[in-house]
Amino acid sequence: MRYLWLSVFLYNSSAPSWLYEGSADYLAYEALLSLQSIPQSHYDFFLSTQYEECESALKQKALNNVDNTEYFFAAYSCGRIIFHAMSYQFNENDQFDFWNKLVRSSPVSGYSIEEFKNLITTNSKTNKLYDDFKKVTTSEQYALGAFRMLVGSIDIISTKK
């Protein structure tokens, strides 16, 4: 259902793939966990696996540059991890608050990287992560280190326990 919503109603074709694919992955896993359709151990396993996949890709490419390359899988894995980290930092008591605000503050044509950046800067916790986020998405040289800093501010697995 999340993928249908994202692809039909809110898709902005000028946005990098990670913004939509990652948010869809994030929302799908959060919904499965919230509905108790998967156990915590499965959730943790896939989150850890996607973290490792993302690190692997960011050794080679900045996230905005993975489209149409052999590192395209990072659009899903890195996107999910970024949405996970931002959502938890934005409101640790409501994992859907960040995405809901992103969608509600976006035009009918869909959310873009600009709406994502604007939302990050409205919250004191996520605003502190903005420089690292920018490097992850645009800097081939600093993407991996910035990613580790971005998600290093939280224990990526323990946020769901």
Side-chain angles (χ1 to χ4, degrees), residues 8-19:
V8 174
F9 298 107
L10 295 171
Y11 184 69
N12 181 328
S13 62
S14 65
S17 295
W18 73 264
L19 189 62

Side-chain angles (χ1 to χ4, degrees), residues 38-111:
I38 60 171
Q40 182 72 48
S41 60
H42 286 65
Y43 178 95
D44 292 346
F45 172 79
F46 288 113
L47 189 65
S48 295
T49 299
Q50 286 186 305
Y51 180 90
E52 291 169 10
E53 288 173 354
C54 183
E55 278 195 329
S56 175
L58 293 177
K59 289 177 185 176
Q60 306 300 321
K61 295 274 185 195
L63 189 54
N64 283 355
N65 300 334
V66 301
D67 290 1
N68 302 312
T69 73
E70 64 186 288
Y71 303 103
F72 182 72
F73 63 87
Y76 296 86
S77 55
C78 294
R80 178 187 177 199
I81 299 297
I82 288 172
F83 267 89
H84 180 87
M86 290 296 182
S87 295
Y88 182 77
Q89 288 293 333
F90 195 83
N91 184 346
E92 65 185 72
N93 297 313
D94 183 353
Q95 72 270 28
F96 300 111
D97 189 34
F98 182 80
W99 191 81
N100 286 333
K101 284 186 170 65
L102 177 62
V103 171
R104 289 186 180 130
S105 67
S106 299
V108 175
S109 60
Y111 54 93

Side-chain angles (χ1 to χ4, degrees), residues 113-130:
I113 206 75
E114 285 307 311
E115 281 85 26
F116 190 87
K117 290 176 188 176
N118 291 341
L119 184 57
I120 291 171
T121 59
T122 65
N123 178 287
S124 61
K125 289 182 179 180
T126 53
N127 188 41
K128 293 176 186 175
L129 304 174
Y130 178 75

